[in-house]
Amino acid sequence: MARYITITLDKRGVSCRARLLDEEAPRTCKAVWDSLPHSGSAYHAKYARNEVYTLVPPFAEPKPGRENPTITPIPGDVVYFGFEAWEIGNPAYGYDEGSEAHSDQGATDLAIFYGRNNLLINGDAGWVPGNVFATIEEGLPDIAAAAQDLWLRGVEGETLSFARAD
């Protein structure tokens, strides 16, 4: 039986529904599902293009490792990244000093991709593959419009939340 999560841009009141890809990414799906819910400040990507994400404390033990990886996510992909503290704490990235990006334990990045032509590369680190663990099946146009609004008007005060769907 398929499992679903709800992903919400809280301030904008927009949600979508994504199906977990249990066959393609079983370890990642288990880690995410078992740890839900998650919520944190929303960020719009600088490098990857059409991506909105949040950083939360690491929750996977053991870490899922690489499975169903991509460096070219497509619209509707929901992606997991596990980062060590040294990988994302650079002040040039624009994270607030108290944010999860500056945690000594590193951070987990949960991201949604809402448009085409994405490329997961970072000028400081090179390629940044992520695990595609879910696909948005309902509400992609609405979440894409809200994500574009984040890009145009800013992310201040916005949170991105992940929860089990009913």
Side-chain angles (χ1 to χ4, degrees):
M1 178 191 275
R3 297 186 294 175
Y4 291 86
I5 59 175
T6 301
I7 305 163
T8 305
L9 284 166
D10 298 303
K11 184 177 175 182
R12 284 166 174 77
V14 178
S15 295
C16 62
R17 183 175 160 101
R19 178 178 47 84
L20 294 183
L21 300 175
D22 284 303
E23 289 188 24
E24 296 88 341
R27 296 184 310 272
T28 307
C29 288
K30 178 178 179 4
V32 171
W33 185 260
D34 289 350
S35 66
L36 290 173
H38 289 290
S39 187
S41 295
Y43 300 98
H44 196 288
K46 285 181 166 181
Y47 300 110
R49 194 170 165 121
N50 301 300
E51 172 190 8
V52 173
Y53 64 97
T54 192
L55 298 171
V56 298
F59 54 78
E61 203 46 59
K63 295 176 182 174
R66 193 150 303 148
E67 63 179 359
N68 202 31
T70 189
I71 57 167
T72 56
I74 61 172
D77 278 351
V78 184
V79 182
Y80 164 100
F81 303 88
F83 291 112
E84 300 298 327
W86 60 269
E87 292 180 289
I88 59 171
N90 183 332
Y93 293 164
Y95 299 116
D96 292 333
E97 193 63 38
S99 78
E100 205 54 47
H102 296 287
S103 167
D104 290 340
Q105 62 189 354
T108 297
D109 173 332
L110 297 175
I112 61 171
F113 290 84
Y114 65 90
R116 298 173 41 94
N117 301 320
N118 303 295
L119 187 59
L120 300 180
I121 191 165
N122 177 301
D124 296 327
W127 299 110
V128 185
N131 294 352
V132 180
F133 72 91
T135 186
I136 297 171
E137 292 188 342
E138 297 173 23
L140 182 57
D142 293 336
I143 206 83
Q148 188 64 29
D149 186 63
L150 282 174
W151 177 251
L152 295 173
R153 291 180 179 71
V155 299
E156 188 171 358
E158 183 62 87
T159 54
L160 184 64
S161 298
F162 292 74
R164 293 181 183 187
D166 298 331

